[in-house]
Amino acid sequence: MRHFAGANKPIAAICHGIQVLAAAGVLRGKTCTAYPAVKPEVENAGGKWVDVEVSGAYVESNLVTAPAWPAHPEWLAKFLKLLGTKIEP
């Protein structure tokens, strides 16, 4: 995880997945979201918390985050866009 963060490679985390990023020490100075109960861990790790609808997602630089499973469509769409993926009907 530290390699991806240091190299500014795409990272996606949803729900409690942000705890891995907090433990790796890569949230300092980043704005993100996750499951609401994880907010203290994000802030203790130096991250800035942003409230997002349960079906929404948030992007900052190389990081795509979302609060819970209802956000899967938006979270995946934003991550695919970050990866440069083009999806056509």
Side-chain angles (χ1 to χ4, degrees), residues 21-89:
L21 302 177
V26 300
L27 293 181
R28 184 158 309 282
K30 293 279 190 175
T31 300
C32 58
T33 194
Y35 192 75
V38 184
K39 179 180 178 180
E41 289 180 66
V42 168
E43 293 175 336
N44 287 337
K48 181 180 176 190
W49 179 265
V50 64
D51 276 322
V52 173
E53 291 290 326
V54 72
S55 61
Y58 186 82
V59 179
E60 180 179 303
S61 182
N62 65 319
L63 181 61
V64 181
T65 56
W69 68 266
H72 279 156
E74 185 172 343
W75 177 69
L76 286 169
K78 288 184 176 191
F79 190 57
L80 289 170
K81 183 177 179 182
L82 182 67
L83 291 172
T85 304
K86 184 176 181 182
I87 299 173
E88 296 180 5

Side-chain angles (χ1 to χ4, degrees), residues 1-9 26:
M1 197 56 59
R2 289 186 188 119
H3 167 76
F4 270 62
N8 205 36
K9 292 182 179 183
V26 300

